[in-house]
Amino acid sequence: MLIASSSTFFPVATPPPTSSFPPRSSSSTASFPFLPPSLRGCACRAILSTHTTQKEKNGMLGARSSDLDQLSGLTALSPLDGRYWGKVKELAPFMSEYGLIYYRVLVEIKWLLKLSQIPEIVEVPSFSEDAKSYLQGVIDGFSVSDALDIKNIEKVTNHDVKAVEYFLKQKCQSNAEVAKVLEFFHFACTSEDINNLAHGLMLKEAMGSVMFPVMDKIIKSLCNMAKDNAQVPMLSRTHGQPASPTTLGKEMAIFAVRLSRERKELSQVEFLGKFAGAVGNYNAHVVAYPDVNWPQIAEEFVKSLGLSFNPYVPQIETHDYMAKLFHSLIQFNNILIDFDRDVWGYISLGYFKQITKAGEIGSSTMPHKVNPIDFENSEGNLGVANGGLSHLSMKLPISRWQRDLTDSTVLRNMGVGIGHSLLAYKSTLQGIGKLQVNEARLSEDLKQCWEVLAEPIQTVMRRYGVPEPYEKLKELTRGRAVTKESIRDFIEGLDIPQAAKTNLLKLTPDTYIGAAVELARTVEHAVDLF
């Protein structure tokens, strides 16, 4: 943030030249020479000063107002549309205002085509192939310029869906066949008939085309890490303290399996749609054409768009599937936060090194730093995403009586939660790509923790009836320095069969890893995605 004068910009933390300060006061507030007279003498009141004159403020707001009026990467309020645009822009065709308008246009045209296939509606005869091609061309050729035309119409109508209807009537006047049935655009529809299908298509396409492929990349990367490091022993930590060893690969496999479960849950969410008019009863439809089976027509139409049909609705589609989708997305994100934090910790322990990139800076003052910024960025963006998705999932299923408008403004923010999720996924992938396993550091920790062998020793003692095995090992290891020699001496003194004693003497912290290797190697069988 900058404070601007007519000729100079000063960082906020830097005071302006001393000549701009008023004379110092001899009062108790002399250390705050810029304090307004109304606040002088009050030591407990919060103080805020910009040191900016009204003339400077006018210059700040006036000289740059034309620049700030134009949306750009620097003026965008959301970092998704500014700083991070390059990483999330593939969502724009689906989750943007343009995407919403495009799918509204698609639904309106497809409904007109559906009406032309209903024999009872003689006023809309079957379209010729040329007319069908023309209408499909309006969909396929829909551009940002077309969307801007609709936005300009909306400035007059103050109604976004009606603006789409008027746009299509204007657009299709040039086709003689379609021009005859212009009033059947938006026939018997409430705005929510159009919107709910548009939103369903937006979400379905965004998840299928953008989100699922990136999720799968993360899961695949973790599977590869699991298999590549299946045999790399690692000291476990429970409650932050040394615990029974595992392998690095098996710990990566855990996250691959957890994420794959949620990925599967997400893929099984049904994207629902309704098309039943103002309050879900086909009231206007039945009056206009009482002989048409409107529930059947609506179901056929919704399914033709690739959505599942919801027959029991008020004015809106009740958004329960959206809540399920967003809850599952939150859970996927929570698991990824857990992964980000674990890897952050492993980097801190030295278990991973990070590949450096020429020109990058880790700290503005400490040249040696190589910070785990990708995992930190991922964690932060996942938190932002989950905050928005949580509100969506809790609010959207609730609507007063047959409908209130609170869902409308909330639905426009679907892209925020999904966008921050995508940004986080890409940060995690970038971070994974920089990781190098530091086996020497992993081995060093294991060699210093012979006390972890207390578990297998006392378990074998139990098998052979040695009294108080747990207590004996507790006495040996709890709060005491344990070495290879002290463990071996304890084992040698046990009254157990020689074969069992020999097996225990062969154990080391880096070989006491149970079935971890096999669990890591076979992770893809559990993931079942590839």
Side-chain angles (χ1 to χ4, degrees):
M1 181 179 177
L2 300 174
I3 297 175
S5 70
S6 58
S7 60
T8 309
F9 288 98
F10 298 102
V12 165
T14 305
T18 55
S19 60
S20 66
F21 282 72
R24 290 184 178 273
S25 166
S26 60
S27 69
S28 61
T29 56
S31 58
F32 301 102
F34 49 85
L35 195 65
S38 61
L39 293 184
R40 289 175 187 166
C42 177
C44 63
R45 193 171 298 179
I47 299 166
L48 177 65
S49 173
T50 64
H51 314 306
T52 308
T53 67
Q54 189 61 47
K55 183 177 179 181
E56 288 172 329
K57 288 178 181 177
N58 291 341
M60 204 163 44
L61 297 174
R64 295 185 294 153
S65 62
S66 60
D67 293 334
L68 295 176
D69 282 345
Q70 302 300 313
L71 179 62
S72 72
L74 293 176
T75 60
L77 296 181
S78 167
L80 294 179
D81 300 311
R83 181 180 183 89
Y84 302 128
W85 172 249
K87 296 181 179 180
V88 299
K89 62 184 179 182
E90 59 261 56
L91 282 172
F94 313 110
M95 303 309 300
S96 64
E97 181 78 359
Y98 165 84
L100 174 58
I101 295 171
Y102 166 79
Y103 284 111
R104 284 170 171 165
V105 167
L106 181 149
V107 172
E108 293 276 14
I109 290 176
K110 293 292 186 181
W111 178 234
L112 182 64
L113 288 166
K114 179 65 176 177
L115 291 173
S116 73
Q117 299 167 7
I118 303 173
E120 293 88 347
I121 305 180
V122 295
E123 291 81 4
V124 187
S126 296
F127 288 119
S128 67
E129 290 303 317
D130 285 344
K132 291 177 184 176
S133 178
Y134 177 84
L135 289 169
Q136 187 61 45
V138 174
I139 297 172
D140 296 340
F142 190 77
S143 65
V144 172
S145 177
D146 291 329
L148 288 172
D149 287 343
I150 292 172
K151 295 301 290 183
N152 286 329
I153 297 170
E154 185 186 342
K155 291 177 182 178
V156 178
T157 63
N158 198 31
H159 196 288
D160 47 5
V161 177
K162 204 67 177 176
V164 172
E165 178 189 344
Y166 288 168
F167 166 82
L168 289 172
K169 288 179 177 178
Q170 292 175 9
K171 188 85 170 177
C172 295
Q173 283 177 349
S174 59
N175 184 283
E177 193 173 344
V178 180
K180 295 176 182 178
V181 293
L182 292 179
E183 290 305 325
F184 281 84
F185 276 120
H186 203 70
F187 177 77
C189 294
T190 184
S191 296
E192 191 56 23
D193 285 331
I194 308 302
N195 281 335
N196 90 95
L197 298 182
H199 288 132
L201 292 170
M202 290 166 68
L203 283 172
K204 185 176 182 180
E205 293 299 322
M207 294 301 297
S209 300
V210 181
M211 301 302 287
F212 286 156
V214 181
M215 289 176 170
D216 292 345
K217 283 182 182 179
I218 293 174
I219 297 168
K220 183 65 174 176
S221 294
L222 293 177
C223 285
N224 290 338
M225 289 181 71
K227 292 183 295 182
D228 292 344
N229 299 285
Q231 293 182 295
V232 177
M234 182 179 81
L235 183 67
S236 293
R237 281 177 168 80
T238 58
H239 310 280
Q241 306 302 309
S244 301
T246 181
T247 71
L248 180 59
K250 185 261 180 175
E251 299 312 302
M252 298 300 103
I254 291 172
F255 287 106
V257 173
R258 292 176 68 194
L259 289 170
S260 71
R261 288 196 195 105
E262 292 308 315
R263 163 66 173 85
K264 188 173 183 180
E265 287 288 324
L266 282 161
S267 68
Q268 292 174 346
V269 173
E270 277 192 287
F271 294 83
L272 299 177
K274 58 82 67 173
F275 211 73
V279 292
N281 301 326
Y282 310 95
N283 303 49
H285 308 62
V286 172
V287 170
Y289 292 97
D291 297 328
V292 174
N293 185 342
W294 288 109
Q296 180 181 329
I297 292 295
E299 181 174 3
E300 290 172 357
F301 179 60
V302 170
K303 287 183 175 179
S304 74
L305 298 176
L307 302 174
S308 297
F309 181 60
N310 186 355
Y312 289 94
V313 291
Q315 183 177 107
I316 64 170
E317 200 290 315
T318 49
H319 306 318
D320 298 323
Y321 84 88
M322 289 185 178
K324 184 175 183 179
L325 177 74
F326 297 141
H327 274 305
S328 293
L329 199 53
I330 288 170
Q331 184 57 18
F332 186 97
N333 291 352
N334 277 339
I335 294 168
L336 198 57
I337 289 173
D338 195 22
F339 171 77
D340 288 336
R341 291 179 178 178
D342 275 11
V343 174
W344 187 97
Y346 294 145
I347 292 170
S348 180
L349 291 170
Y351 291 178
F352 286 115
K353 295 179 181 179
Q354 295 180 97
I355 300 171
T356 58
K357 184 177 180 181
E360 284 191 350
I361 293 172
S363 167
S364 63
T365 187
M366 294 175 281
H368 68 283
K369 297 290 289 296
V370 184
N371 296 328
I373 58 172
D374 297 306
F375 299 103
E376 292 171 337
N377 283 337
S378 175
E379 180 183 341
N381 278 294
L382 290 168
V384 173
N386 283 359
L389 293 169
S390 177
H391 179 65
L392 287 166
S393 61
M394 291 188 294
K395 188 273 157 293
L396 288 175
I398 301 171
S399 185
R400 295 173 181 88
W401 295 337
Q402 282 65 56
R403 197 265 168 99
D404 65 49
L405 200 64
T406 53
D407 66 329
S408 179
T409 189
V410 173
L411 284 163
R412 290 182 182 277
N413 289 277
M414 293 190 300
V416 177
I418 293 174
H420 278 284
S421 298
L422 177 62
L423 182 58
Y425 302 164
K426 290 189 174 183
S427 292
T428 294
L429 282 169
Q430 186 166 305
I432 290 172
K434 295 179 182 178
L435 295 178
Q436 279 186 330
V437 178
N438 185 355
E439 292 192 40
R441 181 70 186 87
L442 286 158
S443 178
E444 179 185 349
D445 261 8
L446 285 165
K447 289 176 181 177
Q448 294 176 357
C449 289
W450 281 82
E451 63 268 25
V452 298
L453 297 185
E455 180 190 39
I457 293 170
Q458 65 97 6
T459 303
V460 171
M461 290 167 66
R462 286 175 187 273
R463 175 184 175 182
Y464 292 107
V466 177
E468 298 184 333
Y470 178 89
E471 288 71 20
K472 286 183 170 65
L473 266 298
K474 177 182 175 183
E475 177 66 23
L476 174 70
T477 61
R478 187 174 173 88
R480 298 185 179 186
V482 179
T483 65
K484 176 180 179 180
E485 289 72 24
S486 63
I487 285 288
R488 291 180 66 85
D489 289 345
F490 183 86
I491 295 171
E492 292 284 7
L494 292 175
D495 184 17
I496 59 175
Q498 186 57 45
K501 188 179 294 186
T502 300
N503 285 335
L504 287 177
L505 289 169
K506 289 178 181 178
L507 273 181
T508 63
D510 60 347
T511 61
Y512 178 49
I513 54 176
V517 173
E518 187 63 19
L519 287 167
R521 282 176 174 168
T522 58
V523 62
E524 286 187 349
H525 296 155
V527 166
D528 193 29
L529 276 183
F530 310 104

